[in-house]
């Protein structure tokens, strides 16, 4: 019962915290005026409208990581774990975790038998909508990265960076924590 209450509390805290995030004037803030959007990418996506992945490491559909995309891709590819980062402009009102899980399923993130994929989802805050985050894990890594740990990564690692407008820092901090935990679990 305590775990359920804690999980609900963490989810509410994450939504409230990220809702209050403000973008600073930094170059990584990702506002529409700073980044040219690709008109071929829909701005609102539903679970059934998950786009095709062109790159298993990083899919920056919201174009908030353009300056650091290569560095993030190289970092992910240097690791042996199947982790995908995806940014989107919208998720059509769906639950972020469900959308992230659908991305993992549709794109085949991770080994099908091991079910060891991890999807980090970022839907940036805009003037008209709140930001949303999720870390979805396959069944094979849920002992190492259970829901409360993923929420902790979101709340303590990602959200502070996003409040400062640092998308790269948010992704890097999440990846560092995820890789550290997966390394420790593999070493046992």
């Amino acid at each position: 019962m305590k775990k359920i209450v804690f999980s609900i509390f963490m989810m509410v805290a994450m939504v409230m915290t990220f809702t209050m995030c403000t973008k600073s004037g930094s170059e990584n803030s990702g506002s529409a005026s700073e980044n040219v959007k690709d008109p071929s990418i829909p701005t609102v996506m539903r679970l059934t409208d998950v786009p095709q992945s062109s790159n298993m490491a990083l899919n920056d559909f919201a174009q908030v990581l353009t300056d650091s995309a290569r560095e993030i891709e190289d970092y992910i590819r240097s690791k042996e774990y199947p982790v995908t980062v995806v940014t989107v402009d919208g998720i059509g009102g769906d639950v972020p975790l469900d959308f992230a899980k659908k991305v993992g399923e549709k794109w085949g993130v991770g080994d099908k038998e091991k079910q060891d994929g991890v999807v980090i989802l970022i839907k940036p805050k805009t003037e008209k909508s709140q930001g949303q985050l999720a870390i979805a894990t396959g069944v094979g890594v849920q002992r190492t990265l259970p829901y409360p740990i993923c929420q902790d990564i979101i709340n303590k690692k990602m959200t502070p960076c996003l409040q400062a407008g640092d998308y790269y820092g948010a992704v890097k901090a999440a990846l560092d924590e995820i890789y550290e935990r997966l390394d420790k679990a593999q070493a046992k």
Side-chain angles (χ1 to χ4, degrees), residues 80-150:
E80 60 185 271
Y81 306 109
V83 177
T84 296
V85 176
V86 61
T87 69
V88 294
D89 289 324
I91 59 174
D94 291 310
V95 175
L97 186 59
D98 290 344
F99 190 87
K101 287 179 182 179
K102 186 68 173 179
V103 166
E105 291 169 9
K106 183 172 182 176
W107 294 352
V109 178
D111 183 273
K112 192 171 188 169
E113 286 184 24
K114 293 180 183 177
Q115 296 183 355
D116 59 352
V118 177
V119 175
I120 300 171
L121 172 74
I122 299 175
K123 188 264 175 218
K125 179 180 177 181
T126 66
E127 292 177 12
K128 297 181 181 180
S129 67
Q130 67 182 9
Q132 297 174 308
L133 301 167
I135 298 175
T137 59
V139 174
V141 292
Q142 286 181 352
R143 284 186 104 165
T144 304
L145 295 168
Y147 180 78
I149 294 295
C150 291

Side-chain angles (χ1 to χ4, degrees), residues 55 58 60 65-75 168:
N55 177 346
L58 173 64
D60 187 20
L65 296 166
T66 53
D67 294 337
S68 53
R70 175 47 97 197
E71 190 174 338
I72 292 170
E73 286 178 27
D74 290 346
Y75 183 53
Y168 170 79

Side-chain angles (χ1 to χ4, degrees), residues 29 140 174:
S29 67

Side-chain angles (χ1 to χ4, degrees), residues 11-80:
M11 184 184 310
V12 170
M14 183 270 312
V15 170
M16 289 177 59
T17 302
F18 196 63
T19 301
M20 294 183 291
C21 291
T22 58
K23 293 181 182 176
S24 68
S26 73
E27 57 199 45
N28 289 333
S29 67
S31 70
S33 63
E34 294 172 358
N35 291 315
V36 177
K37 300 290 183 185
D38 183 345
S40 67
I41 299 172
T43 57
V44 175
M45 294 176 247
R46 292 172 189 75
L47 288 174
T48 56
D49 296 330
V50 173
Q52 285 295 329
S53 170
S54 60
N55 177 346
M56 204 45 92
L58 173 64
N59 290 272
D60 187 20
F61 297 114
Q63 297 183 353
V64 293
L65 296 166
T66 53
D67 294 337
S68 53
R70 175 47 97 197
E71 190 174 338
I72 292 170
E73 286 178 27
D74 290 346
Y75 183 53
I76 293 170
R77 291 178 195 283
S78 73
K79 301 295 183 176
E80 60 185 271

